Amino acid sequence: MRVGTGYDVHRLTAGRDLILGGVKIPHELGLLGHSDADVLLHAVMDALLGAAALGDIGRHFPDTEEQYRGISSMKLLAYVSRLLREKGYRIENIDATVIAQKPKLRPYIAQMEQNMAKVLGVSQSQINVKATTEEGLGFTGSQEGIAAQAVCCLEPSGVQI
């Protein structure tokens, strides 16, 4: 079994969509970044890449590359999924937490889990997303940004391409 962790942070700003787990969430602020700035998927991708000892998202999708400007992180997750399969890994499970004061995310969590499961080719029961606040403390509590962290387990499938 291989274990990986991921963490990501993006600043909240006006004039951007708030996208988490591939879900566009109604909110007056969105996340600033080179791509769609989906902190949840970025943390998940870093966990998956780390568990497979394949670096991080900055290595695979540098923010200096125009081809990644505004790209959907769901497309990046699909690339990571293909890479894991090529390297002979199978996803056992993913557990992730989004840290945001607002908006309330509970109504969107099932769709986030579905989105990730579909792209990764796993059962939704293998994906768990949680949301929490920091009770008004820190940069997430003051609504300056949103953070996410993830952990995953990979199993070697025995097949390497």
Side-chain angles (χ1 to χ4, degrees):
M1 176 188 325
R2 308 281 301 253
V3 176
T5 64
Y7 178 78
D8 196 38
V9 173
H10 283 276
R11 179 180 302 279
L12 283 163
T13 188
R16 294 271 301 199
D17 290 333
L18 177 59
I19 299 172
L20 296 170
V23 177
K24 185 176 174 182
I25 299 170
H27 192 54
E28 63 271 10
L29 301 173
L31 293 169
L32 183 63
H34 187 68
S35 67
D36 64 4
D38 187 330
V39 291
L40 173 57
L41 294 186
H42 293 185
V44 166
M45 287 186 283
D46 268 347
L48 293 167
L49 290 166
L54 295 171
D56 61 19
I57 61 172
R59 176 175 154 195
H60 291 272
F61 317 111
D63 64 5
T64 55
E65 295 285 335
E66 278 303 306
Q67 65 182 331
Y68 302 122
R69 183 176 299 283
I71 194 169
S72 166
S73 293
M74 294 297 290
K75 290 182 180 179
L76 303 180
L77 184 64
Y79 170 87
V80 170
S81 180
R82 284 190 306 275
L83 184 59
L84 291 175
R85 281 193 308 277
E86 288 171 5
K87 296 296 182 180
Y89 291 105
R90 178 177 53 82
I91 297 168
E92 184 62 35
N93 77 305
I94 296 168
D95 185 32
T97 304
V98 179
I99 304 121
Q101 195 65 36
K102 288 183 181 176
K104 294 296 183 192
L105 299 176
R106 181 172 308 280
Y108 309 101
I109 286 177
Q111 186 62 58
M112 293 175 196
E113 292 170 344
Q114 276 182 337
N115 290 348
M116 285 188 276
K118 182 177 179 182
V119 168
L120 293 170
V122 300
S123 165
Q124 189 173 341
S125 67
Q126 293 171 271
I127 311 263
N128 187 63
V129 175
K130 305 176 297 293
T132 191
T133 71
E134 289 188 306
E135 303 296 329
L137 300 173
F139 73 91
T140 62
S142 65
Q143 299 178 59
E144 294 175 62
I146 293 178
Q149 53 190 5
V151 63
C152 73
C153 291
L154 299 180
E155 289 288 341
S157 66
V159 178
Q160 285 197 344
I161 297 173

